[in-house]
Amino acid sequence: MSQPTPYFVRPTKRCLSDLGMGFPALELPLHQVEDALVAKAQQVPAEVAAGSAERIRAIKDRIWFKVKVSSARGAVTELDHAVDHGPEVAEAGAWWWMGAAGKRQEDSSNDFYRSLTAEVTRAGRGTGSTSSEHLLPADVDIRRLEAELAVQITLSIRRVVRKVIAASIKTGRACAATFTHHRIAALVRARDGEAYLAVTAEGFIDFRLIAVILGSVPHVAHSDWLPEPQGVFGINPEPGQITYSTMVSAASQAEIMEEFSGEDLSDL
């Protein structure tokens, strides 16, 4: 099996239910939920690469691996990179999933692996094999992944906007950050005892993302921003660029500078 980088294992909704948990806030990726078994599952991809992972032999239709912490047990698999995924999985690198969890209860019909064996056997009845397809991520798991990705993009944009503003406050010049297909620039300038901020965005054709950019500055309402199609402060927008300006308070500037007080801003 090929190995993703970085390695992480997401619990499915079914697995979280087995653990007595629901989906956490979108800001928290599922592989980071506070649970000992989920934390232990993060080691499985490396164990598979090293040849030390223990396979669940009773499941015949695809390869699943055991996860053990105290009496807690789980089942982890890697999606087939060729057929088992959509673009969201590939974008996030979410190849590894824990599909079920339970408790080790030796000599009991409620033992996790015994119950799991019975479950996949019933699901595969008439096929001549077991079926663990229902343990793979379902539509709700992919929708959750999509939502997480959207939140991560939003948080990343907000942080970059504030960082280029911090760099401009510190240096007194226009500062910019470039992504693969996007660019954000900011210039803070004092005038008549007040501070003005101009932000230029390039490559952001989705106005929902523009709203995220403008909403990234603390204590500034969306209605306080003015479009500057002809440019401002010597910034002349080029084709594909959008420039907005606003007044920015001392409190807003101080909050932004505090956020990046320990970071090197010289590369912007």
Side-chain angles (χ1 to χ4, degrees):
M1 287 185 177
S2 59
Q3 302 299 317
T5 301
Y7 305 130
F8 61 89
V9 180
R10 291 175 63 85
T12 62
K13 185 177 186 297
R14 149 69 189 270
C15 181
L16 289 173
S17 296
D18 289 345
L19 294 169
M21 304 171 66
F23 282 143
L26 286 172
E27 290 80 3
L28 181 67
L30 290 189
H31 65 281
Q32 295 179 5
V33 297
E34 293 188 10
D35 179 83
L37 192 66
V38 174
K40 180 68 173 180
Q42 306 313 309
Q43 302 176 19
V44 171
E47 291 173 353
V48 171
S52 59
E54 185 178 356
R55 182 176 174 179
I56 303 175
R57 298 291 178 185
I59 303 181
K60 308 295 184 182
D61 58 297
R62 67 183 298 129
I63 298 174
W64 290 83
F65 298 97
K66 295 181 178 181
V67 185
K68 306 176 183 179
V69 175
S70 187
S71 63
R73 298 291 185 269
V76 169
T77 193
E78 181 186 16
L79 300 185
D80 187 318
H81 291 215
V83 298
D84 272 347
H85 69 88
E88 307 85 0
V89 170
E91 180 181 352
W95 301 110
W96 290 87
W97 294 77
M98 183 158 61
K103 295 291 185 181
R104 174 62 168 160
Q105 301 181 46
E106 196 169 357
D107 299 326
S108 169
S109 60
N110 293 323
D111 175 74
F112 171 67
Y113 290 122
R114 182 174 296 181
S115 297
L116 190 63
T117 298
E119 181 179 333
V120 298
T121 299
R122 286 193 303 271
R125 188 172 295 150
T127 67
S129 182
T130 58
S131 176
S132 58
E133 291 296 309
H134 63 288
L135 301 178
L136 297 177
D139 288 344
V140 66
D141 298 301
I142 301 304
R143 291 197 301 270
R144 165 71 193 207
L145 180 59
E146 288 176 332
E148 278 185 27
L149 289 172
V151 168
Q152 290 169 15
I153 290 172
T154 297
L155 294 176
S156 176
I157 290 174
R158 287 177 176 171
R159 176 173 171 78
V160 168
V161 171
R162 294 194 297 269
K163 188 171 184 178
V164 294
I165 293 172
S168 181
I169 293 172
K170 184 175 182 179
T171 64
R173 58 177 175 79
C175 296
T178 301
F179 303 86
T180 304
H181 302 292
H182 307 84
R183 186 173 185 269
I184 297 174
L187 174 62
V188 178
R189 177 165 293 175
R191 179 178 292 178
D192 299 328
E194 296 182 302
Y196 290 80
L197 165 65
V199 171
T200 297
E202 181 178 349
F204 291 91
I205 59 174
D206 189 332
F207 276 88
R208 290 174 297 182
L209 295 181
I210 296 296
V212 171
I213 292 172
L214 301 185
S216 301
V217 185
H219 313 300
V220 176
H222 279 275
S223 58
D224 293 337
W225 289 94
L226 295 175
E228 301 285 357
Q230 304 305 316
V232 64
F233 303 150
I235 298 175
N236 299 309
E238 299 179 2
Q241 294 181 337
I242 302 174
T243 298
Y244 288 84
S245 69
T246 189
M247 294 171 54
V248 59
S249 68
S252 178
Q253 295 178 67
E255 187 172 323
I256 291 172
M257 294 305 294
E258 175 64 23
E259 180 178 351
F260 298 97
S261 60
E263 296 193 27
D264 181 9
L265 302 174
S266 61
D267 60 338
L268 297 177

